[in-house]
Amino acid sequence: MSANFWKSRSRASAGGNSADKPIAIDLFCGSGAVTTAIKANGYRVVAAVDINRICGVTYRKNHPEVIFKRRDIRSLQPSELAVAIPTGKQLKLMAVCAPCQPFSSQNRRRGAADTRAPLILESVRLARALKPQLIIYENVPGIAASAIFQRLKRSLASAGYILGIPQRVDAADFGVPQRRVRCIVAAVRAPGRIKDFALSTQGSERVTVRDALADLRPLSSGESDPYDPLHISRVHHEITLRRLAAIPQDGGSRDSLPPELQLECHRNRDRGDFCDVYGRMRWDGVAPTLTTGCTDVTRGRYAHPRDDRAITLREAARLQTFPDWYRFAGNRSQIAEQIGNAVPVEMFRRLVSALRRSYPDA
């Protein structure tokens, strides 16, 4: 993939607002990654919902034509979204990327104990009223084994939808320079027409960390790119810089640290415990899964392959395949959270494209 991939996605190419475009709605839209992907497939996104204030500011910066509702989805009335659908037009697509933390293996309160778990069921209430032709659900793989998923399947059936077979996908197989395993499942209104959608990855050349980051300005600790407000290196402590300098470039890990630079908390642990902490990314591999701590070397393998620093917000955004024109609101921590929580834009773009081939009515 060209190093200009992230620059070539102009706002115009991400989708206009012409009257002949199919209509879509984005639930749990976050900062707007999914909306960006849907637009790139030729849809007109008319409404979006999220409860997070900062995400809402970011969303409006990038998608000002979309009616955005900053609401708890449980209190949202279908009529508040229905007014956004042009007269005479049918809602073709509803994207549902509900909070994944309740179903994550990293969450000790996962499942019914997490009060966010039932939020995904609100999509059924809205689907009953708005009747989208196709619903796409994106979440962590753990959702497929949950009791909530079975409730979702039954509720959708009562609303006239058939839920397909959950598919486990890795974003790295869909043009994203990052390993990120997700669950994708579709629901359609036409009984008897549900079928597995094609997710062919054979022959797809993986996009690497080098593809994503190599053309960006090299930075030292505390340096910034004067032309890019997101490409700013955090200021690292002296001990952190000493550790990074001792870790080999291009994929090195903290296993290379001499005893005097090892963290006390790591000395008596197995090498496999927290092995990615202070690790460097590999130029010709894909990045690890980005989290909300993706610009902190103490939170995972988030050190630059060459420079002695953590990756910047710009680099994290590129690894999530946000186009460079995308603007984020908030402070550095809030932006990192938005980026880490996002659905990779290119992954979702390709998934929607595959679904449209399987379900041409959507």
Side-chain angles (χ1 to χ4, degrees), residues 24-81:
I25 285 177
D26 187 358
L27 305 184
F28 308 99
C29 65
S31 55
V34 166
T35 289
T36 304
I38 294 173
K39 285 182 176 182
N41 272 282
Y43 285 89
R44 177 184 174 189
V45 181
V46 296
V49 183
D50 203 273
I51 196 173
N52 185 283
R53 183 185 68 82
I54 293 296
C55 283
V57 177
T58 294
Y59 192 96
R60 290 188 175 101
K61 281 178 177 287
N62 296 281
H63 308 287
E65 81 287 356
V66 180
I67 294 177
F68 174 81
K69 298 287 184 181
R70 186 194 160 210
R71 297 283 297 279
D72 182 328
I73 198 168
R74 291 169 292 193
S75 65
L76 185 75
Q77 296 304 310
S79 59
E80 297 180 72
L81 300 179

Side-chain angles (χ1 to χ4, degrees), residues 111-283:
D114 192 314
T115 57
R116 295 168 294 182
L119 290 176
I120 194 171
L121 301 176
E122 296 296 319
S123 65
V124 183
R125 177 176 62 87
L126 297 173
R128 286 181 188 276
L130 302 175
K131 296 180 171 54
Q133 286 291 102
L134 172 68
I135 308 173
I136 303 177
Y137 292 94
E138 185 271 355
N139 214 286
V140 293
I143 192 173
S146 69
I148 288 292
F149 187 80
Q150 295 305 316
R151 286 177 59 187
L152 177 66
K153 186 174 183 178
R154 292 192 297 270
S155 297
L156 282 168
S158 69
Y161 288 84
I162 297 177
L163 190 64
I165 298 172
Q167 301 213 25
R168 184 185 176 97
V169 303
D170 186 344
D173 293 326
F174 295 87
V176 178
Q178 177 194 169
R179 180 177 63 253
R180 198 178 188 96
V181 179
R182 308 298 291 176
C183 175
I184 304 294
V185 61
V188 294
R189 290 191 66 218
R193 292 193 61 242
I194 191 75
K195 56 182 178 290
D196 293 341
F197 57 96
L199 292 179
S200 176
T201 61
Q202 293 186 3
S204 299
E205 185 177 344
R206 284 202 168 186
V207 181
T208 67
V209 171
R210 187 188 302 276
D211 293 325
L213 308 186
D215 68 317
L216 293 172
R217 178 189 291 260
L219 299 174
S220 297
S221 173
E223 283 191 330
S224 62
D225 183 337
Y227 303 104
D228 187 343
L230 288 188
H231 195 39
I232 302 174
S233 171
R234 67 193 303 159
V235 178
H236 292 292
H237 295 297
E238 180 184 355
I239 185 62
T240 300
L241 292 174
R242 290 174 59 199
R243 287 173 179 141
L244 289 171
I247 294 173
Q249 295 183 2
D250 197 11
S253 73
R254 66 176 176 84
D255 288 345
S256 298
L257 291 177
E260 66 272 16
L261 291 179
Q262 292 177 8
L263 280 76
E264 185 66 35
C265 59
H266 292 160
R267 288 177 181 170
N268 297 319
R269 289 182 177 272
D270 292 336
R271 285 185 177 269
D273 291 346
F274 308 105
C275 58
D276 280 344
V277 170
Y278 278 93
R280 291 186 186 272
M281 296 180 182
R282 292 187 181 276
W283 276 125

Side-chain angles (χ1 to χ4, degrees), residues 213 281 290 294-295 302-305 309-313 315-316 319:
L213 308 186
M281 296 180 182
L290 297 194
C294 58
T295 60
Y302 300 137
H304 191 273
R309 59 173 175 83
I311 61 170
T312 65
L313 292 171
E315 289 163 337
L319 294 171

Side-chain angles (χ1 to χ4, degrees), residues 285-302:
V286 296
T289 302
L290 297 194
T291 67
T292 57
C294 58
T295 60
D296 184 346
V297 294
T298 69
R299 301 280 293 277
R301 188 173 289 274
Y302 300 137

